[in-house]
Amino acid sequence: MSEAPKANGVNPDQDLNAENLPGRRGDQGEPVRVQRGMFGANNGGDTSGYGGLVRPVRLPGPAGRPYGGWFDEVADELEGALEEQSLVPENAIEKTVVDRGELTFHIAREHLPRVARTLRDDPALRFELCTGVSGVHFPGDKGRELHAVYHLRSITHNRLIRLEVSVPDDDPHLPSIVDVYPTNDWHERETYDFFGLIFDGHPALTRIMMPDDWQGFPQRKDYPLGGIPVEYKGAQIPAPDQRRSYS
């Protein structure tokens, strides 16, 4: 008899349960904005053929049970562990998304440290490693423009999941989880540096790439395009905001 395949961080039943994954993209999900045209050209400079494109951009919506494979096991164990701590799971987990064979828990920011510690310490979960936090900026996602995304790996169970926390642009605070995952120290600094997310409780939240006196956060989508001219092969290449514009 052949040995059952291991999880390898993916959902082994995603094909069998394809009809049970309502978080898939398409007409479902949460609209963020409408994409019009392509490549930013709107005065005839777009020769790609996509100038007339009009497409809604949506974030994946919440999934319904069953999620499929080990996803249900992880969700059940997490919810049960939170209930044992007298925390109503629905207060901590805003929604659960299954999209493209991946599992994401959207967590209320005030409960992030407890959820992270539970995922790390519970024997049935054991997500011992956080590979970092990434920032995402959705200017059209009103009231939650800034997202922090954490990728967690269970070495014990060979699984991968994601946590996501959303905060408004005018209140970009969320708790640091360096106490839970010490390797997040520099990752949180980098996300602060480029996106302006403020991780309360971080041991030394300072810029890590940009100069200390730099104004603004360069990886936000509303950050102005600019720079300095560069010399290349004897030619002077103007800064991006000084180059020829097609729009």
Side-chain angles (χ1 to χ4, degrees):
M1 180 180 293
S2 60
E3 184 179 354
K6 297 181 180 180
N8 292 325
V10 299
N11 183 0
D13 297 331
Q14 59 182 352
D15 294 330
L16 297 176
N17 292 279
E19 298 305 317
N20 296 323
L21 305 181
R24 292 176 297 165
R25 293 183 188 271
D27 293 335
Q28 305 173 26
E30 304 171 7
V32 175
R33 63 182 176 87
V34 176
Q35 172 71 37
R36 299 183 183 277
M38 185 69 77
F39 308 121
N42 53 28
N43 66 347
D46 182 2
T47 60
S48 68
Y50 290 97
L53 175 70
V54 178
R55 182 178 67 86
V57 178
R58 295 183 174 91
L59 298 178
R65 298 276 194 158
Y67 304 138
W70 53 265
F71 291 176
D72 291 279
E73 179 185 345
V74 169
D76 290 341
E77 293 290 349
L78 176 58
E79 292 173 5
L82 294 176
E83 288 177 344
E84 291 176 359
Q85 301 173 55
S86 301
L87 177 60
V88 178
E90 290 78 11
N91 293 340
I93 305 172
E94 296 177 339
K95 66 177 179 179
T96 301
V97 172
V98 176
D99 186 60
R100 290 173 169 82
E102 298 178 335
L103 176 64
T104 303
F105 295 109
H106 288 249
I107 306 299
R109 57 179 165 180
E110 63 271 20
H111 297 300
L112 174 62
R114 181 182 294 191
V115 171
R117 193 174 298 276
T118 300
L119 286 165
R120 186 194 68 180
D121 294 344
D122 189 281
L125 297 169
R126 294 296 292 155
F127 286 90
E128 306 98 333
L129 177 64
C130 179
T131 59
V133 55
S134 303
V136 188
H137 185 209
F138 293 108
D141 195 11
K142 300 303 180 184
R144 52 181 191 180
E145 292 87 354
L146 295 169
H147 295 229
V149 183
Y150 304 82
H151 303 272
L152 305 184
R153 175 180 287 276
S154 171
I155 300 173
T156 299
H157 302 293
N158 196 18
R159 293 170 174 174
L160 290 169
I161 65 170
R162 183 187 296 111
L163 301 182
E164 188 164 337
V165 180
S166 306
V167 297
D169 197 3
D170 57 1
D171 182 22
H173 290 263
L174 68 162
S176 170
I177 59 170
V178 170
D179 286 346
V180 182
Y181 295 108
T183 53
N184 257 30
D185 190 334
W186 283 21
H187 292 284
E188 289 185 3
R189 285 181 60 191
E190 185 176 30
T191 306
Y192 160 72
D193 194 359
F194 288 145
F195 289 91
L197 283 160
I198 301 173
F199 296 90
D200 296 327
H202 188 281
L205 193 63
T206 58
R207 288 195 183 270
I208 194 171
M209 300 290 287
M210 308 303 293
D212 291 340
D213 59 352
W214 192 267
Q215 298 297 313
F217 306 103
Q219 287 191 349
R220 289 196 185 188
K221 292 180 180 177
D222 55 4
Y223 187 79
L225 184 64
I228 59 175
V230 176
E231 185 175 339
Y232 180 71
K233 291 188 176 181
Q236 192 77 5
I237 310 300
D241 57 338
Q242 301 298 320
R243 297 174 192 169
R244 178 181 176 184
S245 174
Y246 290 92
S247 58

